Amino acid sequence: MENCTVVPEFILLGIPNTKGQETILFIGFLTFYLCTLLGNLLIFSAILADSHLHTPMYFFLCNLSVVDLGFTSISTPKFLVDLWTKSRTISLGGCMSQVFFYQFLGCTEELLCTVMAFDRYVAICHPLRYLIIMNWRVCAILAASTWVTSSFHATILTSLTFTLPYCGPNAVDYYFCDVFPVAKLACADTYVIKTVTFTITGVVPMICFFLILTSYVRIVYSILKMNSAEGRHKAASTCASHLTVVTLFFGPYALIYTQPQLSQVVVTAVQLLGDVVTPMLNPVIYTLRNKDVKGALRKMRGGMTLSCMEMENRTVVFEFILLGIPNTKGHETILFIGLLAFYLCTLLGNLLILSAILADSRLHTPMYFFLCNLSVVDLGFASISTPKLLVDLWTKSRTILLRGCMSQVFVFQFLGSTKGLLCTVWKNPNSGVLTYKSIAQRIVQK
């Protein structure tokens, strides 16, 4: 490897046989992505807003929604940027990030599905001991274990992939970076990485699937022993949602990793089903098949206000009422559409800037580093009040919990101060004697 030149970036070849269909792909992927964001944020908000859903099952469902939000954001924003800009390059650091987070969140979802199956097993097979077994300490340990274990899994595979030398072709035959497509480009023997990857990505899902299968065998046996038809129907309905999610998640990846001889077109189609479609369908499945979630969403729409009788003899305020924008009564629909359009444009615009800067190694300069920080601040700043205002306009509810109000005050002041300081740091290089470039040079000289 003496004369090996390290590859600074890779070229993503994209989806096979789609040349000339960039506009259709862009619209399709953008629609799926925005629906995924909206669906999972709605599920997340409904569970947080309804105290009746503050149970272990919905705690894990919240974790699943967070995973789905991250999972769909690994490759979709970058792919949208590529379709829009006609650029296919991704920096070495960006490629490493995609590999790490894809493995990390994929493994997390596998483990979460297993934990959720165990939760259903305890709830149905041991209902009297459910709250004792699945207490909040146990739930927190189980959830934390899934995230920590997945981080080790992702670190091992990412380290093995990028310790290989890359000095030849840099065209990744895929629409994002994953272990196998990247490892094919290595200038050394890939036996170790292939063996380890096949072992880990085979053993972990098989163990998870076996545990899920065992749980559901016991669950079916317990359901058949129930005397109440209503109880059987409720238990089966709850489990059906989880089983559908498990099938949609494990199915595509089982096909990809157990059938390596499949054509690239088939693999890509299956991969798209798992990466883009499934995260969008999960909220729909849990909404359609779960009466509790549907009830929570109806409560959000119908409004959630505490009666004065319930607050009798209390002096502590547990919630506030937001009166909204003055002089806009009767214009709720127009406001909702306008704010939603602005909010989605803000998300898309800042995500595009972040993806473009991360993808182009020429933009890895102090100026664009601060611009990245500014985009993150803008994403957070727009999300402080806009989602809540949209929910209020949609549900006709104006209440906000005390802790929600505290969060808004804190985050608003925090991000506002951060933006002010960032704008001070990120100034025109020609506007002062001591610019960020001269400061950087002085630090390097020291």
Side-chain angles (χ1 to χ4, degrees):
M1 305 305 297
E2 293 178 357
N3 299 321
C4 179
T5 303
V6 178
V7 173
E9 62 183 17
F10 294 93
I11 299 171
L12 302 173
L13 297 182
I15 302 174
N17 305 316
T18 57
K19 190 174 181 180
Q21 300 175 346
E22 287 81 4
T23 304
I24 297 173
L25 284 173
F26 183 84
I27 295 171
F29 270 77
L30 181 61
T31 303
F32 276 114
Y33 185 55
L34 294 178
C35 288
T36 302
L37 293 179
L38 182 61
N40 283 284
L41 286 172
L42 277 175
I43 291 281
F44 196 80
S45 302
I47 293 172
L48 290 180
D50 193 340
S51 59
H52 294 96
L53 301 184
H54 293 177
T55 62
M57 173 183 172
Y58 295 105
F59 169 71
F60 294 124
L61 181 55
C62 270
N63 278 265
L64 187 65
S65 291
V66 172
V67 170
D68 283 337
L69 284 170
F71 201 66
T72 193
S73 299
I74 296 168
S75 56
T76 306
K78 168 61 181 165
F79 187 52
L80 289 171
V81 171
D82 290 348
L83 291 170
W84 184 263
T85 63
K86 313 297 183 185
S87 170
R88 300 289 184 179
T89 60
I90 183 171
S91 66
L92 180 62
C95 192
M96 290 175 66
S97 298
Q98 282 194 338
V99 172
F100 175 82
F101 283 107
Y102 185 78
Q103 296 297 329
F104 171 55
L105 294 176
C107 185
T108 303
E109 186 152 355
E110 289 175 1
L111 297 174
L112 270 176
C113 287
T114 308
V115 170
M116 291 173 78
F118 174 71
D119 172 70
R120 291 298 83 209
Y121 160 73
V122 176
I124 294 171
C125 299
H126 304 282
L128 298 179
R129 299 171 55 201
Y130 176 62
L131 293 178
I132 299 173
I133 297 172
M134 298 299 293
N135 57 65
W136 283 112
R137 182 171 176 272
V138 171
C139 291
I141 291 172
L142 287 172
S145 298
T146 62
W147 292 92
V148 173
T149 304
S150 301
S151 67
F152 284 117
H153 163 90
T155 302
I156 291 169
L157 292 184
T158 306
S159 301
L160 287 174
T161 302
F162 289 96
T163 50
L164 293 170
Y166 294 93
C167 49
N170 65 340
V172 178
D173 192 16
Y174 221 27
Y175 73 101
F176 73 98
C177 291
D178 195 10
V179 175
F180 289 129
V182 174
K184 287 179 183 178
L185 305 175
C187 306
D189 184 24
T190 58
Y191 175 76
V192 174
I193 179 64
K194 287 182 178 178
T195 304
V196 172
T197 303
F198 270 119
T199 302
I200 295 178
T201 56
V203 171
V204 174
M206 282 181 63
I207 293 173
C208 291
F209 184 75
F210 175 75
L211 292 174
I212 292 170
L213 185 63
T214 304
S215 297
Y216 273 101
V217 168
R218 296 294 303 273
I219 287 170
V220 170
Y221 179 71
S222 296
I223 290 175
L224 293 175
K225 288 175 63 180
M226 290 180 180
N227 296 323
S228 169
E230 184 181 351
R232 285 197 299 269
H233 176 74
K234 184 177 180 181
S237 178
T238 303
C239 294
S241 300
H242 181 252
L243 272 175
T244 307
V245 170
V246 168
T247 304
L248 285 172
F249 178 77
F250 280 92
Y253 299 105
L255 185 64
I256 290 171
Y257 286 104
T258 58
Q259 302 294 328
Q261 75 278 6
L262 289 174
S263 69
Q264 190 64 38
V265 176
V266 175
V267 169
T268 306
V270 175
Q271 190 88 45
L272 288 172
L273 174 64
D275 296 349
V276 180
V277 180
T278 300
M280 184 197 71
L281 291 178
N282 285 349
V284 178
I285 293 166
Y286 275 103
T287 302
L288 293 177
R289 302 287 303 177
N290 194 302
K291 291 182 179 179
D292 293 332
V293 176
K294 285 194 286 187
L297 291 173
R298 278 196 294 267
K299 282 183 181 180
M300 286 179 64
R301 186 170 181 175
M304 298 167 59
T305 57
L306 293 174
S307 69
C308 295
M309 295 298 293
E310 291 177 349
M311 298 305 295
E312 189 178 356
N313 299 324
R314 295 188 184 184
T315 57
V316 179
V317 174
F318 289 100
E319 64 181 14
F320 295 93
I321 298 173
L322 302 173
L323 298 181
I325 303 173
N327 304 319
T328 57
K329 191 174 181 180
H331 301 295
E332 287 82 1
T333 304
I334 298 172
L335 278 174
F336 181 85
I337 295 171
L339 286 171
L340 180 61
F342 276 113
Y343 184 55
L344 293 178
C345 289
T346 302
L347 292 179
L348 179 61
N350 283 285
L351 286 172
L352 284 173
I353 287 178
L354 274 171
S355 303
I357 293 173
L358 292 175
D360 193 340
S361 58
R362 294 171 298 179
L363 301 183
H364 293 176
T365 62
M367 173 181 174
Y368 292 106
F369 169 74
F370 291 123
L371 181 56
C372 269
N373 278 266
L374 189 63
S375 291
V376 172
V377 170
D378 283 338
L379 284 170
F381 206 67
S383 301
I384 297 169
S385 56
T386 308
K388 170 61 179 165
L389 182 55
L390 289 171
V391 171
D392 290 349
L393 290 170
W394 181 260
T395 62
K396 314 298 183 185
S397 170
R398 300 289 184 179
T399 59
I400 184 171
L401 295 175
L402 177 63
R403 60 178 177 269
C405 191
M406 289 172 63
S407 300
Q408 280 194 339
V409 171
F410 173 80
V411 179
F412 185 83
Q413 296 298 326
F414 168 63
L415 292 179
S417 301
T418 305
K419 189 166 185 177
L421 294 172
L422 271 176
C423 290
T424 304
V425 174
W426 183 50
K427 61 181 180 178
N428 191 313
N430 298 318
S431 64
V433 178
L434 195 61
T435 66
Y436 70 81
K437 186 173 181 181
S438 61
I439 293 172
Q441 288 173 346
R442 290 189 182 188
I443 293 172
V444 171
Q445 288 170 2
K446 288 181 181 180

